[in-house]
């Protein structure tokens, strides 16, 4: 208990806070003239009356309300009829359930934020006591305790404590704030700090860690009652890790996490040695070592380095590096072997983005060919070029006695090697009216290339002569257009055909190139001109085109033409353009035909839009040129919910015309909708 203390305002006790078990305790220290008490220490005021009126006779700080006075509680106060008031404003953190317990001899009243929670306010001869359970909201709140002594012995006691039973405390602590993380590359340790929670029922903190791209999980990295933690378990892999801190209370409630704090570790971990290199080999002696291996799984892999040496098992030195200073990204490498007829050994290392290098892989062994690496010395000095319609002919002299190892000559056009030849070469890969320079180089049987010959420059005129006229051209009118046929062109440099359609108007035949519209392309000597107006009189011409684009053009006299009149296939019975209740009729004309075709009809009909009411079915008709009438294809009306029909016996090789009508309950039919297809 704290007995009556003789203190003045100038010497009143201000409290120094210490930490004990996660809660604040206090000790007294001299207060200033204007008494202030650091939360959670109470400010205590003594009054010479029980109404707390007038100016307090004394003000000081009190770290706990638990006092007994047998006389005057302070200098200048009576031993009876005095009042003492304690007040404190503190941060309750997340708040939650609290028990307020007060006892006194005589009266005691307790207020939370000005609201009375305990009232034992009368002159008694024995101590009275009361406990009240309250829920304190989160944040800062003010407690006030008023004590009155009317006569006799004075006793007062008050405490406020969190209720920590898990069945009562349903409030989680607030998430820790002011979290920060620093990383020391020298030690590889990360240090975390955060601000102390305000919870009175705080039990401690849990620290969680996750790798970037993953979640924190449910198991903490560490548990502590401190406001800092040093993580010495971080892998040194160059990865980024994130931390968060969560507070937990004595009811085992855990807060949300603090703001994530990230650190990126140093990378001192080398990749694993590549595997599979040792599985590479070749039968016999080779000129190229072809290596491949399993790809490394490291996320920070930069690539690989390949080393070749003449001693087993292969050494990793700068002199033996054959893949170049920059790591290769593919897990395969081809190396041209020195043609010395000896064994060469290969190993591969993996390198990450931080420069860490793996141990060497297993060793692959190859034996190289022992071949001629000496280039020919012979170079022709008499290369000539002769221009022709189809290209440029090159000639030069060479005899086997000059160099019996020579197998061919590499021909160059304008500085680029284009082909291999013996003693002559015809270059047909050039455009007409162009200029080119040629030379050759001897090549021996081992691929060694000799010096450059003399060069020769020539203007290539090329072919400007069109192929001769086509023969045998015929044009036959048919129901599906005009069928054209002619003899194959005999031109050596034939490329394709151009097909022209001629129309007579104002005493002149005008020809149009219809080659792009031909269904069979332009390389065949038969074709078909489709979708022509019925009864139109036409003229056709076909010309051969060579590889240089040379071709005759109508109406040149040497270009043969044929005339034909297109058949009339349209029905003589016209289909009305208006009044039909149908929105569309589509007819598929892409089905492959034999002696008969499949026609697939699909129509749009909405009963709500039909002014004659809902149809009970549909009829499908096809034009019959023999009877000059539309013949019905269905025996009975199609169902009202049908919107398609397949004609399995459509005529082949002609245009086929259809109609569809709606059938009503009284047997009448609607105005038809019509359409056609090309067989």
């Amino acid at each position: 208990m704290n007995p009556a203390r003789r203190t003045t305002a100038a010497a009143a006790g201000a409290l120094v806070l210490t930490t004990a078990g996660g809660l604040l305790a206090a000790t007294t220290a001299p207060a200033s003239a204007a008494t202030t008490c650091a939360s959670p220490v109470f400010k205590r005021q003594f009054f010479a009356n029980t109404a707390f009126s007038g100016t307090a006779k004394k003000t000081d700080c009190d770290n706990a309300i638990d006092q007994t006075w047998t006389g005057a509680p302070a200098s200048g106060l009576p031993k009876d009829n005095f009042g003492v008031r304690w007040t404190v404003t503190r941060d309750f953190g997340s708040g939650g359930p609290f028990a307020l317990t007060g006892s006194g001899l005589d009266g005691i009243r307790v207020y939370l934020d000005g609201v009375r929670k305990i009232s034992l306010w009368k002159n008694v001869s024995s101590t009275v006591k009361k406990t009240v359970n309250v829920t304190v909201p989160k944040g800062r709140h003010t407690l006030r305790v008023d004590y009155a002594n009317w006569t006799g012995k004075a006793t007062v006691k008050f405490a406020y404590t969190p209720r920590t039973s898990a069945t009562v405390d349903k409030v989680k602590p607030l998430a820790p704030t002011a979290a920060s993380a620093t990383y020391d590359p020298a030690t590889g340790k990360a240090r975390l700090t955060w601000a102390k929670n305000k919870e009175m029922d705080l039990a401690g903190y849990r620290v969680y860690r996750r790798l970037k791209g993953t979640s924190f999980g449910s198991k903490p990295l560490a548990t502590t009652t401190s406001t800092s933690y040093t993580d010495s378990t971080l892998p040194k892999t160059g990865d980024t890790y994130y931390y968060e801190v969560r507070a937990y209370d004595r009811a085992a409630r855990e807060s949300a996490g603090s703001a994530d704090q990230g650190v990126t570790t140093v990378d001192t971990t080398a990749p694993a040695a590549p595997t599979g290199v040792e599985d590479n080999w070749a039968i016999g002696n080779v000129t190229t070592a072809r290596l491949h291996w399993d790809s490394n799984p490291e996320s920070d892999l930069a690539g690989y380095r390949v080393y070749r040496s003449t001693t087993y098992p292969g050494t990793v030195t700068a002199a033996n590096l054959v893949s170049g200073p920059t790591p290769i990204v593919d897990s395969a490498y081809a190396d041209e072997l020195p043609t010395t007829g000896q064994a060469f050994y290969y190993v591969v290392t993996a390198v990450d983005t931080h420069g860490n290098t793996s141990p060497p892989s297993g060793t692959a062994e190859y034996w190289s060919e022992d071949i001629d690496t000496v280039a020919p010395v012979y170079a022709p000095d008499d290369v000539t070029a002769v221009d022709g319609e189809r290209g440029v002919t090159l000639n030069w002299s060479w005899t086997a006695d000059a160099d019996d190892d020579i197998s061919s000559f590499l021909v160059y056009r304008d500085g680029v090697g284009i082909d291999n030849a013996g003693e002559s070469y015809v270059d047909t890969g050039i455009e007409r009216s162009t200029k080119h320079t040629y030379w050759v180089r001897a090549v021996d049987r081992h691929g060694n290339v000799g010096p450059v010959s003399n060069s020769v420059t020539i203007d290539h005129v090329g072919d400007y002569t069109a192929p001769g006229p086509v023969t045998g051209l015929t044009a036959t009118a048919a129901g599906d257009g005009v069928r054209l046929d002619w003899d194959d062109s005999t031109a050596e440099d034939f490329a394709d055909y151009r097909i022209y359609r001629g129309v007579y108007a104002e005493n002149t035949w005008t020809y149009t190139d219809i080659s792009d519209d031909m269904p069979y392309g332009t390389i065949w000597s038969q074709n078909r001109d489709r979708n022509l107006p019925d009864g139109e009189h036409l003229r056709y011409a076909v010309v051969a085109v060579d590889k240089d684009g040379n071709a005759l053009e109508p109406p040149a006299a040497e270009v043969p033409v044929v005339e034909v009149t297109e058949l009339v296939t349209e029905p003589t019975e016209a289909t009305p353009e208006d009044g039909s209740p149908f929105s569309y009729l589509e007819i598929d004309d892409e089905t492959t035909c034999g002696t008969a075709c499949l026609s697939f009809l699909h129509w749009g009909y909405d009963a709500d839009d039909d002014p004659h009411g809902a149809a009970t079915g549909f009829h499908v008709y096809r034009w019959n040129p023999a009877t000059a009438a539309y013949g019905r294809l269905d025996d009975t009306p199609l169902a009202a919910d049908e919107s398609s029909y397949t004609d399995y016996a459509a005529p082949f090789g002609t245009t086929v015309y259809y109609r569809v009508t709606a059938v009503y309950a009284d047997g009448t039919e609607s105005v038809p909708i019509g359409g056609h297809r090309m067989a």
Side-chain angles (χ1 to χ4, degrees):
M1 295 184 183
N2 293 338
R5 288 162 291 180
R6 292 181 293 174
T7 57
T8 64
L15 299 186
V16 178
L17 304 184
T18 60
T19 302
L23 303 178
L24 291 174
T27 58
T28 59
S32 63
T35 303
T36 58
C37 303
S39 175
V41 176
F42 289 95
K43 179 179 180 180
R44 182 172 62 176
Q45 296 172 291
F46 293 90
F47 293 85
N49 55 72
T50 58
F52 303 95
S53 61
T55 303
K57 297 298 183 180
K58 178 182 178 182
T59 301
D60 61 9
C61 298
D62 200 358
N63 66 325
I65 303 175
D66 184 7
Q67 282 99 10
T68 297
W69 296 285
T70 56
S75 177
L77 267 69
K79 67 180 183 67
D80 295 320
N81 293 308
F82 64 84
V84 185
R85 172 170 287 168
W86 289 266
T87 56
V88 64
T89 299
R90 69 170 296 166
D91 194 330
F92 282 79
S94 63
F98 277 76
L100 307 182
T101 301
S103 63
L105 181 68
D106 296 321
I108 181 171
R109 284 176 175 167
V110 178
Y111 299 82
L112 175 63
D113 292 332
V115 178
R116 186 184 299 170
K117 300 297 182 181
I118 295 177
S119 181
L120 302 171
W121 201 252
K122 60 183 178 179
N123 192 358
V124 294
S125 58
S126 61
T127 300
V128 291
K129 181 177 180 180
K130 187 173 184 180
T131 297
V132 176
N133 294 330
V134 298
T135 298
V136 179
K138 69 178 181 179
R140 294 178 62 81
H141 301 280
T142 299
L143 281 170
R144 190 183 95 205
V145 179
D146 289 348
Y147 170 74
N149 172 262
W150 284 283
T151 59
K153 182 179 178 180
T155 299
V156 60
K157 188 173 183 179
F158 171 74
Y160 61 103
T161 56
R163 302 172 65 201
T164 60
S165 168
T167 59
V168 174
D169 185 3
K170 305 294 185 181
V171 179
K172 296 191 299 184
L174 296 178
T177 60
S180 66
T182 57
Y183 181 75
D184 184 355
T187 63
K189 297 179 180 180
R191 176 172 171 77
L192 286 79
T193 60
W194 57 92
K196 181 176 178 63
N197 271 46
K198 304 297 184 180
E199 323 294 333
M200 290 180 61
D201 61 343
L202 184 70
Y205 305 93
R206 294 175 181 141
V207 179
Y208 293 81
R209 184 185 75 194
R210 67 177 175 88
L211 179 65
K212 182 179 180 180
T214 65
S215 60
F216 281 111
S218 59
K219 185 177 180 180
L221 173 68
T223 300
T224 180
T225 58
S226 176
T227 57
S228 65
Y229 175 74
T230 298
D231 182 9
S232 59
T233 65
L234 279 170
K236 297 178 182 179
T237 57
D239 291 312
T240 297
Y241 290 86
Y242 290 95
Y243 295 90
E244 74 172 22
V245 183
R246 305 174 196 171
Y248 69 97
D249 60 21
R250 293 200 289 271
R253 306 286 179 195
E254 186 177 74
S255 75
S258 64
D260 287 7
Q261 303 298 314
V263 298
T264 300
T265 64
V266 294
D267 185 1
T268 60
T269 303
T275 59
V277 176
E278 62 278 6
D279 298 329
N280 291 274
W281 61 284
I283 297 176
N285 294 7
V286 295
T287 58
T288 303
R290 302 188 184 278
L291 302 166
H292 58 85
W293 54 90
D294 302 327
S295 297
N296 273 45
E298 289 84 6
S299 60
D300 61 344
L301 186 73
Y304 307 92
R305 292 193 175 106
V306 181
Y307 297 84
R308 181 186 71 203
S309 62
T310 56
T311 57
Y312 184 85
T315 54
V316 177
T317 65
N320 290 340
L321 178 64
V322 293
S323 59
T326 302
I328 60 174
V329 297
D330 294 326
S331 54
Y333 185 75
D335 183 37
E336 297 301 319
L337 288 167
T339 53
T340 56
Q342 66 186 123
F344 290 92
Y345 303 96
Y346 290 87
V347 293
V348 180
T349 62
V351 185
D352 66 20
T353 54
H354 297 89
N356 300 304
T357 301
S358 75
S361 67
T363 303
E365 178 181 355
Y366 286 88
W367 283 84
S368 72
E369 290 269 14
D370 185 8
I371 59 176
D372 175 18
T373 59
V374 179
V377 297
Y378 176 71
D381 59 2
D382 58 352
V383 176
T384 60
V386 177
D387 187 37
E389 279 193 348
R390 304 290 179 262
V392 172
T393 300
L394 303 172
N395 287 280
W396 56 91
S397 62
W398 168 70
T399 61
D401 294 337
D403 193 335
D404 59 7
D405 194 29
I406 293 176
S407 62
S408 64
F409 288 85
L410 181 58
V411 180
Y412 290 79
R413 181 208 306 140
D414 300 328
V416 178
I418 58 173
D419 209 345
N420 279 287
E423 298 180 52
S424 64
Y425 180 74
V426 179
D427 184 10
T428 59
I430 53 178
E431 297 181 358
R432 59 188 181 181
S433 298
T434 54
K435 186 175 184 177
H436 303 284
T437 299
Y438 297 89
W439 63 80
V440 299
R441 297 175 68 183
V443 182
D444 67 17
R445 284 186 290 272
H446 295 101
N448 301 303
V449 180
V452 175
S453 71
N454 68 296
S455 64
V456 57
T457 301
I458 189 170
D459 290 316
H460 173 55
V461 176
D463 180 13
Y464 285 85
T465 303
V470 299
T471 59
L473 176 62
T474 62
T476 305
D480 58 350
V482 174
R483 300 175 186 177
L484 303 172
D485 196 2
W486 59 92
D487 299 332
D488 292 341
S489 173
T490 58
E492 292 182 3
D493 56 349
F494 166 77
D496 60 1
Y497 298 100
R498 289 190 193 136
I499 299 94
Y500 293 88
R501 181 201 301 140
V503 178
Y504 190 75
E506 298 180 357
N507 298 319
T508 303
W509 285 97
T510 302
Y511 292 91
T512 302
D513 186 348
I514 60 172
S515 304
D516 292 340
D517 298 327
M518 293 293 96
Y520 309 133
T522 59
I523 63 171
W524 306 106
S525 57
Q526 57 180 342
N527 233 307
R528 179 159 59 100
D529 187 8
R530 303 175 296 178
N531 301 322
L532 296 170
D534 285 0
E536 185 174 20
H537 189 71
L538 303 167
R539 178 179 284 181
Y540 289 91
V542 178
V543 298
V545 185
D546 68 15
K547 294 175 180 174
D548 287 309
N550 301 305
L552 301 173
E553 289 189 16
E558 62 266 45
V559 177
V561 297
V562 293
E563 295 185 19
V564 66
T565 299
E566 171 71 324
L567 296 180
V568 177
T569 61
E570 291 184 0
T572 56
E573 180 183 340
T575 299
E577 295 184 1
D578 300 313
S580 171
F582 295 88
S583 57
Y584 66 87
L585 173 62
E586 294 179 350
I587 306 172
D588 177 17
D589 62 353
E590 298 300 327
T591 306
T592 302
C593 299
T595 57
C597 295
L598 297 180
S599 290
F600 179 74
L601 290 76
H602 185 272
W603 55 84
Y605 173 81
D606 189 339
D608 294 336
D609 296 335
D610 192 341
H612 303 291
T616 59
F618 303 99
H619 279 316
V620 179
Y621 297 84
R622 182 178 70 220
W623 176 254
N624 187 340
T627 62
Y630 278 98
R632 201 172 75 192
L633 301 181
D634 52 274
D635 295 330
T636 59
L638 303 178
D641 59 354
E642 292 287 342
S643 61
S644 64
Y645 177 81
T646 301
D647 180 7
Y648 292 95
F652 170 67
T654 187
T655 303
V656 188
Y657 294 84
Y658 292 93
R659 279 180 174 177
V660 179
T661 64
V663 182
Y664 302 106
D666 60 2
T668 61
E669 298 181 41
S670 71
V671 174
I673 187 172
H676 69 277
R677 60 157 286 177
M678 295 290 292

